[in-house]
Amino acid sequence: MSGYISNSWLWLQNQATTKARNFLLNVLAAGPIPKHVAFVMDGNRRYARMNQKAIQQGHKDGFVALRRVLEVCLRLNIHCVSVYAFSIENFKRDADEVNALMQLAEEKLLELCGHGDLLDEYGVKLNVVGKKALLPEPVQQAIAKAEEMTRHNKRAILNLCMPYTSRDEMATAVESCVNNALNKTPSDEEIIITERDIEDQLMTCLGGSPPRVDILVRTSGVKRLSDFMLWQSCEDTQLQFTSTFWPDFGLVDFIPIILDYQRKIWSKPS
């Protein structure tokens, strides 16, 4: 009997917490909301070491945090969320860690697209952005399945950047522009490539994302961009650095970031 009472009380607490969270998010959503938010999900390994966990468990807890943060963003009606999941440079890490990350990515990609999952519930289109040919074949197959299952979703976009660097994205875009121009321009005419041409060929823009990032958040206390969204993070992009490790990042950390964005929008000269 005592176990039943304890479980019932826990359920009531969870319900109250969820209602309070949703009320707060509804209030925030009444103000100006960014269209595109990007996250450098940093600190999984340090989080694992500080909590006496295996590195692989730190990455698993990082995926749990991604689901949690994504739901908050979707409830705020943020149209596009981009996350730095795996850099091309990360292939230089220990082989066991890389292999474990690839297995985790395959598992979570398929899980994300399960019937009734978060992407399905909120109508989110998944784009895996990066040099996908570098990934193991099973991960590429999981990506193809996940993208196909969500390609008709129109409400929001999740860019899962892996394996990605901004330099590679820009170089690939320029290469596409050159090839397109060579195919369309007569040999005796000058080839002209504009910023807009390059922007239109960025992997994120090809997937339907807004060309600019409104807020870029990096966790774990490190203050650098690490070759992420360099083209998109310009003009009015607000850079936000927090000391919280990514697996611990949540609503309490994100609310001040949104409030700071709203304050700056409201304080702009009309």
Side-chain angles (χ1 to χ4, degrees):
M1 184 66 177
S2 61
Y4 172 78
I5 294 174
S6 176
N7 289 336
S8 298
W9 178 245
L10 182 60
W11 181 84
L12 287 171
Q13 284 183 313
N14 289 337
Q15 288 291 102
T17 300
T18 300
K19 287 183 178 180
R21 181 204 67 175
N22 293 345
F23 174 77
L24 178 58
L25 292 176
N26 288 338
V27 172
L28 286 174
I33 292 296
K35 293 179 181 178
H36 189 177
V37 178
F39 295 93
V40 180
M41 304 185 295
D42 195 22
N44 290 349
R45 294 191 292 174
R46 279 171 287 160
Y47 158 88
R49 286 193 289 266
M50 287 188 65
N51 290 279
Q52 290 78 51
K53 295 183 177 184
I55 298 298
Q56 290 85 344
Q57 186 59 48
H59 291 305
K60 287 182 179 180
D61 291 350
F63 269 94
V64 174
L66 172 57
R67 288 179 58 88
R68 181 172 65 241
V69 173
L70 179 60
E71 183 168 14
V72 168
C73 290
L74 295 172
R75 284 193 167 272
L76 285 171
N77 296 318
I78 294 171
H79 176 65
C80 182
V81 177
S82 296
V83 296
Y84 205 0
F86 192 84
S87 168
I88 292 174
E89 300 299 319
N90 289 157
F91 281 115
K92 298 175 183 177
R93 290 183 179 178
D94 177 78
D96 288 340
E97 182 182 354
V98 172
N99 290 336
L101 274 168
M102 294 298 103
Q103 292 173 8
L104 183 62
E106 180 186 0
E107 172 192 332
K108 296 302 179 182
L109 279 165
L110 296 176
E111 181 184 304
L112 276 172
C113 293
H115 180 68
D117 201 82
L118 199 62
L119 303 190
D120 184 41
E121 180 183 350
Y122 285 94
V124 182
K125 176 185 177 184
L126 175 67
N127 296 323
V128 178
V129 177
K131 214 159 193 172
K132 291 180 277 191
L134 297 177
L135 296 169
E137 186 62 30
V139 180
Q140 292 186 45
Q141 291 175 2
I143 288 171
K145 181 177 180 180
E147 290 184 327
E148 174 61 25
M149 289 180 68
T150 64
R151 68 186 180 93
H152 296 297
N153 292 343
K154 303 296 183 185
R155 180 177 169 188
I157 295 170
L158 170 62
N159 291 318
L160 190 64
C161 299
M162 63 171 290
Y164 172 94
T165 63
S166 192
R167 287 173 297 171
D168 177 71
E169 182 184 27
M170 289 187 281
T172 302
V174 171
E175 183 180 4
S176 296
C177 288
V178 171
N179 289 334
N180 290 341
L182 288 173
N183 291 332
K184 295 177 181 178
T185 307
S187 58
D188 59 342
E189 291 188 16
E190 181 183 6
I191 293 177
I192 299 175
I193 296 174
T194 66
E195 281 188 24
R196 179 61 185 271
D197 294 329
I198 297 172
E199 188 169 274
D200 288 344
Q201 292 300 316
L202 292 174
M203 298 173 189
T204 47
C205 292
L206 289 172
S209 302
R212 297 288 178 264
V213 168
D214 298 305
I215 304 175
L216 189 147
V217 181
R218 179 164 188 154
T219 56
S220 87
V222 176
K223 295 182 178 180
R224 59 176 182 265
L225 298 183
S226 295
D227 209 351
F228 181 57
M229 295 281 162
L230 300 183
W231 181 287
Q232 297 89 340
S233 299
C234 58
E235 298 177 3
D236 293 328
T237 300
Q238 295 185 17
L239 303 180
Q240 296 280 352
F241 301 100
T242 173
S243 60
T244 305
F245 293 134
W246 175 252
D248 289 327
F249 188 87
L251 184 62
V252 172
D253 304 281
F254 197 41
I255 286 175
I257 292 172
I258 293 296
L259 287 174
D260 187 50
Y261 172 83
Q262 293 180 335
R263 178 183 61 79
K264 289 175 180 176
I265 293 297
W266 280 323
S267 63
K268 275 185 178 181
S270 56

